[in-house]
Amino acid sequence: MVRRSHIVRANRFVWCAVLGLALNLAVGPAIADVVAVVSAKSVVTTLTKAQLTDIFLGKVNRFPNGAQAVPIDQPEGSAARDEFYAKFAGKSASQIKAFWSKIIFTGRGQPPKEVADSLEMKKRINENPSAIGYIEENMVDDSVKVVLQQL
Amino acid sequence: MHRQITPSRPFRTLRAISTLLLTALWHPAAAGTDAGNAAASMFSFSGFGTLGVVHSSENQADFSANIFQANGAGYSRQWSPDVDSRIGAQVIATVSPKLSGVLQIVSEQNFDGTYWPRVEWANIQYQFTPDFGVRLGRSILPGFLFSDTRLVGYTYPWVRPPVELYCLNPVDTNDGIDISYRLQAGDLVDMIQGNYGYSKTKLPNNDGTVRAKNSWGFTNTAEYGPLTLLLSFEASHLSATAIDPLFDAFRQFGPQGIAIANQYDDDNKLVAIEDVGASYDSGHWLVVGEWSHANTHSFLGDQTAWYASSGYRLGKFMPYLTYADVSAIGNSSPGLNLMGLSPGAAAYGAGLNAGLNSVLETIADQKTVSAGARWDFAKNVDLKLQVDHTRLGVGSSGTSINVQPGFIPGGTVNLFSAAIDFVW
């Protein structure tokens, strides 16, 4: 009896894994995990979700250690950007746009500068130890350091 | 004379800022090519707008969200595009990380019915530190949760912020100085802002100008994760002289007439407005509540307003419900005591009493239930539909404007509104 239930459980696990993989393949690169990265030369090692969100929403302009933080965005409408804000800030593209509109149209600030894609993001981060951005997990290499990823 | 000379200097400064930024606004390409990349990245251009239409069940008065507009939906037009439609363009010039300037120009229906653009924001900002900044020039007071972006429909869920509360502040522009300081403690971000200045706004129907002098106030905005809490206080000395002839007539009746005139006229009267607002935005649930009290010490009324609203995001849709209430203290007056007056004087006095009460009737006292939805159907564009059911207080014409002789105070009004908001 004990053995049988183990088999059932194992079976279920396999099915879940197969289903999960199938879903992953079906949606393709859009679901590739996005991670927050800084330059490999940066002293920053890890950030909480709230710290990361505050930097990208312009509420703070420093890392917790006091060093200057310069956030960089992927282009509006890109899958990486939408996933980054959905995952770490819990907000949709239109919520983020509405948030920044409140700041822009009261003359209080500007959203982060944008780069064309993850390759340019890595280049810019590598050039500037203060920069922080986000790229697909499979784009991570020695030039950057992951400071937060989805659990 | 003296009064006219004092504002002219800040006005000239404002005009200088405007000219400078306008040049940039109309020649963005020139800024990019002639002065190279540095100048191109120095200016950032953006804009917003709303295309809206409103239908009202009332045909003896106009619904308008703003007392400074010439007309609205109801009496003037069955379907009015003038209530919510507007367009705004803005340029921010970032000279250095410390020094920047903003110019925002908005076109919406004016007091005279035209859409001639006006300068909404024009100021120079200096950040002594990233958390401490000073602005000189024109800005919009941040006294309510949505007051400084009330024209940017894309920034809030409704077709417009609830008029019950947002009509309390007769003047929301400030030409002067504002200082802001931001504090951080863990995940708490707190911004305190103080302002001092004056303003001048023209009223429709040749009703003259509303002037606010020595305006000062502060606003504290605390943000903690999805929670925002706002506390504010604004005081100014307001003059609205449109119905001064009525009060001059009251003054002819000796001490009791003078007392009434002094109680209700609006010549340099203190206006004090307090506001408490809170919002919770979890990503799915949005809950907003706000309370405010405004005492104008004049015929403009002593009112208390609050609203509560909640919406739930289902992907790109957000249905919402709102309840809003504004109540007025003293929106009627017994007027002159006519006992013992000659028949002629008594008849004249009765006419003045009726005149005064018809003015006090226009102090808003109403309750509204609204239901609507926002649909973010495309990038940077939304569509909103909203229905409002309003019950007017006894003897009040509510927030209506252009009230006609055939209007019966204290009834109900239904509104249907549709709006498309966009930003770029």
Side-chain angles (χ1 to χ4, degrees):
Chain A
M1 287 308 273
V2 173
R3 213 184 256 170
R4 213 189 110 113
S5 79
H6 268 280
I7 291 165
V8 170
R9 229 178 271 165
N11 250 333
R12 236 182 245 161
F13 176 79
V14 169
W15 272 113
C16 282
V18 169
L19 197 69
L21 195 68
L23 275 174
N24 240 324
L25 290 174
V27 183
I31 211 162
D33 275 344
V34 167
V35 293
V37 289
V38 294
S39 163
K41 288 168 261 172
S42 169
V43 292
V44 177
T45 52
T46 177
L47 289 174
T48 68
K49 247 188 196 185
Q51 287 165 342
L52 180 69
T53 308
D54 281 353
I55 290 171
F56 274 86
L57 297 183
K59 291 179 184 176
V60 301
N61 54 4
R62 298 192 173 275
F63 289 110
N65 66 7
Q68 200 196 2
V70 179
I72 302 174
D73 258 331
Q74 299 254 8
E76 259 183 48
S78 66
R81 178 168 167 147
D82 289 354
E83 202 199 326
F84 173 75
Y85 284 106
K87 212 159 94 168
F88 295 114
K91 291 190 190 303
S92 67
S94 60
Q95 283 173 279
I96 293 294
K97 189 71 183 180
F99 171 86
W100 277 110
S101 296
K102 257 183 105 77
I103 291 170
I104 293 167
F105 296 119
T106 51
R108 288 228 168 268
Q110 295 284 315
K113 292 252 162 39
E114 287 177 15
V115 292
D117 52 30
S118 293
L119 275 176
E120 202 193 333
M121 178 72 88
K122 280 199 288 186
K123 200 172 143 244
R124 292 279 290 275
I125 286 175
N126 199 29
E127 287 164 3
N128 183 358
S130 299
I132 176 164
Y134 48 89
I135 55 177
E136 293 84 1
E137 198 168 15
N138 58 17
M139 297 286 286
V140 172
D141 61 24
D142 291 348
S143 71
V144 295
K145 185 159 63 173
V146 175
V147 288
L148 187 63
Q149 62 191 104
Q150 180 79 335
L151 297 173
Chain B
M1 282 306 277
H2 185 69
R3 219 184 257 174
Q4 281 169 339
I5 291 162
T6 345
S8 78
R9 235 167 82 198
F11 186 71
R12 230 179 285 148
T13 318
L14 200 66
R15 215 160 41 184
I17 301 170
S18 306
T19 316
L20 193 78
L21 291 168
L22 257 179
T23 318
L25 188 64
W26 303 129
H27 303 286
T33 51
D34 294 357
N37 284 336
S41 61
M42 178 174 144
F43 294 106
S44 84
F45 302 91
S46 37
F48 59 87
T50 299
L51 284 171
V53 67
V54 181
H55 175 73
S56 168
S57 64
E58 173 63 56
N59 58 21
Q60 293 295 311
D62 280 342
F63 170 80
S64 170
N66 174 350
I67 55 160
F68 298 109
Q69 287 185 340
N71 55 55
Y75 169 73
S76 299
R77 282 179 186 220
Q78 282 208 318
W79 292 85
S80 172
D82 299 316
V83 177
D84 300 304
S85 300
R86 66 180 66 90
I87 193 154
Q90 175 176 291
V91 55
I92 293 181
T94 311
V95 180
S96 74
K98 286 178 187 263
L99 184 66
S100 63
V102 60
L103 174 69
Q104 186 185 108
I105 287 169
V106 174
S107 166
E108 64 176 356
Q109 195 197 43
N110 293 313
F111 70 95
D112 56 1
T114 66
Y115 274 76
W116 192 248
R118 68 168 194 270
V119 174
E120 182 81 354
W121 293 80
N123 63 56
I124 287 174
Q125 180 170 349
Y126 191 80
Q127 287 293 136
F128 289 91
T129 73
D131 293 326
F132 175 54
V134 173
R135 301 197 287 200
L136 274 176
R138 175 170 298 174
S139 59
I140 302 300
L141 296 173
F144 299 156
L145 278 174
F146 301 91
S147 54
D148 54 4
T149 50
R150 75 212 180 295
L151 301 182
V152 191
Y154 193 83
T155 60
Y156 44 78
W158 321 288
V159 170
R160 64 192 80 83
V163 292
E164 279 75 10
L165 194 139
Y166 283 78
C167 74
L168 287 194
N169 192 354
V171 172
D172 54 11
T173 304
N174 186 52
D175 287 350
I177 185 168
D178 105 33
I179 298 171
S180 61
Y181 186 68
R182 194 167 61 171
L183 271 162
Q184 277 162 42
D187 291 340
L188 179 77
V189 181
D190 188 87
M191 176 136 107
I192 182 152
Q193 186 172 358
N195 59 271
Y196 179 79
Y198 78 98
S199 84
K200 200 172 91 171
T201 314
K202 276 199 167 165
L203 281 167
N205 306 324
N206 297 319
D207 279 347
T209 304
V210 177
R211 287 167 208 275
K213 285 195 310 175
N214 293 327
S215 307
W216 65 274
F218 70 86
T219 303
N220 189 79
T221 313
E223 290 176 283
Y224 183 78
L227 278 171
T228 303
L229 178 70
L230 177 140
L231 293 170
S232 83
F233 178 78
E234 289 288 339
S236 67
H237 283 84
L238 201 75
S239 296
T241 52
I243 57 166
D244 271 2
L246 176 71
F247 298 119
D248 292 342
F250 268 104
R251 287 196 172 91
Q252 294 166 3
F253 280 80
Q256 67 157 333
I258 292 168
I260 290 172
N262 290 347
Q263 182 184 350
Y264 290 110
D265 77 353
D266 194 14
D267 182 14
N268 208 24
K269 288 281 182 72
L270 173 72
V271 173
I273 305 177
E274 307 96 57
D275 186 87
V276 181
S279 79
Y280 172 80
D281 189 347
S282 73
H284 284 294
W285 278 105
L286 174 71
V287 182
V288 188
E290 195 164 12
W291 174 95
S292 185
H293 170 241
N295 192 349
T296 68
H297 299 100
S298 75
F299 68 90
L300 295 172
D302 178 358
Q303 295 162 290
T304 303
W306 65 274
Y307 68 87
S309 182
S310 183
Y312 186 78
R313 288 190 187 86
L314 294 154
K316 294 178 186 303
F317 282 95
M318 181 158 86
Y320 57 82
L321 274 175
T322 307
Y323 181 82
D325 180 317
V326 57
S327 58
I329 299 168
N331 59 347
S332 68
S333 163
L336 294 163
N337 180 355
L338 306 171
M339 294 272 281
L341 295 176
S342 70
Y348 183 46
L352 293 183
N353 287 348
L356 176 63
N357 277 293
S358 73
V359 169
L360 298 182
E361 232 173 53
T362 65
I363 301 173
D365 187 314
Q366 65 183 40
K367 303 172 197 322
T368 297
V369 179
S370 310
R374 170 179 170 144
W375 176 29
D376 287 287
F377 70 98
K379 190 179 147 191
N380 301 343
V381 190
D382 70 51
L383 168 71
K384 294 167 183 169
L385 299 177
Q386 184 174 317
V387 288
D388 300 270
H389 176 73
T390 300
R391 179 171 291 280
L392 304 174
V394 176
S396 174
S397 53
T399 57
S400 315
I401 60 165
N402 293 337
V403 178
Q404 299 303 304
F407 179 83
I408 300 158
T412 60
V413 180
N414 294 314
L415 286 183
F416 169 78
S417 312
I420 289 174
D421 301 306
F422 47 92
V423 288
W424 74 86

